[in-house]
Amino acid sequence: EATFEEPMDIQVRPATEDDALGACNVIRSSIVECCEDDHRGDATVLDGWLRNKTPELVRRVILAPNAFSVVASIGEQMVGFASALGTG
């Protein structure tokens, strides 16, 4: 018998500079957890992918005048980050 979870109350809003650390953590976690088929847990590969995923880089992305960035949260926990450039 199939069961369904209660719908999640996901809130999406424009990212602010104060979201940089949380967004960075989301990005890094997604690489470690969701890309395992690609990096296969290889520390050298992971280090290369994660090296530039810093709060400062994410802050610059959020503040870039030609980008639109959003964060997704469930309650107080940030669970998603996305950014798109206006240049395509």
Side-chain angles (χ1 to χ4, degrees), residues 26-39 49:
V26 166
I27 293 166
R28 293 176 66 87
S29 291
S30 72
I31 291 169
V32 171
E33 297 169 19
C34 300
C35 299
E36 193 168 2
D37 285 349
D38 297 311
H39 60 67
W49 285 9

Side-chain angles (χ1 to χ4, degrees), residues 6-86:
E6 290 294 317
M8 290 185 258
D9 185 21
I10 300 173
Q11 302 295 316
V12 178
R13 62 171 173 76
T16 69
E17 147 175 42
D18 293 336
D19 294 316
L21 177 60
C24 181
N25 290 338
V26 166
I27 293 166
R28 293 176 66 87
S29 291
S30 72
I31 291 169
V32 171
E33 297 169 19
C34 300
C35 299
E36 193 168 2
D37 285 349
D38 297 311
H39 60 67
R40 301 189 186 277
D42 184 313
T44 302
V45 173
L46 273 170
D47 183 55
W49 285 9
L50 299 173
R51 185 175 301 119
N52 72 339
K53 308 312 184 282
T54 64
E56 178 56 29
L57 173 77
V58 176
R59 187 184 74 76
R60 286 196 313 264
V61 168
I62 291 169
L63 294 176
N66 64 335
F68 177 70
S69 300
V70 296
V71 295
S73 300
I74 299 174
E76 296 297 315
Q77 181 181 3
M78 188 179 302
V79 296
F81 173 76
S83 187
L85 293 175

